[in-house]
């Protein structure tokens, strides 16, 4: 099973977005996105919601509660 960070990195690459673009879209700095993608930190629930909306996936998918 992929980690949250692996899913976030994969989704960002599929959309062809940079760390800066994703960070601006959800209201954090690019370091936060990088830490999340490297599994060094986890986003708060409010950011998981924003990421799910941005990437057009469910929060359950990001959290590993459902498959693609």
């Amino acid at each position: 099973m992929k980690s949250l960070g692996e899913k976030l990195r994969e989704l960002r690459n599929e959309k062809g977005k940079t760390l800066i673009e994703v960070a601006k879209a959800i209201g954090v700095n690019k370091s936060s996105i990088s830490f999340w993608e490297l599994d060094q930190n986890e986003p708060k629930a409010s950011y998981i919601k924003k990421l799910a909306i941005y990437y057009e996936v469910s929060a359950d998918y990001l959290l590993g509660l459902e498959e693609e």
Side-chain angles (χ1 to χ4, degrees), residues 13-57:
N13 289 332
E14 285 175 4
K15 291 221 178 230
K17 300 295 184 181
T18 66
L19 291 172
I20 293 170
E21 290 172 320
V22 176
K24 282 184 180 181
I26 67 164
V28 297
N29 59 45
K30 76 174 189 171
S31 297
S32 294
I33 302 294
S34 179
F35 287 143
W36 299 341
E37 287 187 2
L38 295 170
D39 290 313
Q40 293 179 346
N41 202 342
E42 291 185 350
K44 295 188 316 185
S46 59
Y47 292 120
I48 290 174
K49 179 181 176 182
K50 289 179 181 184
L51 288 162
I53 292 167
Y54 181 76
Y55 288 126
E56 300 175 328
V57 297

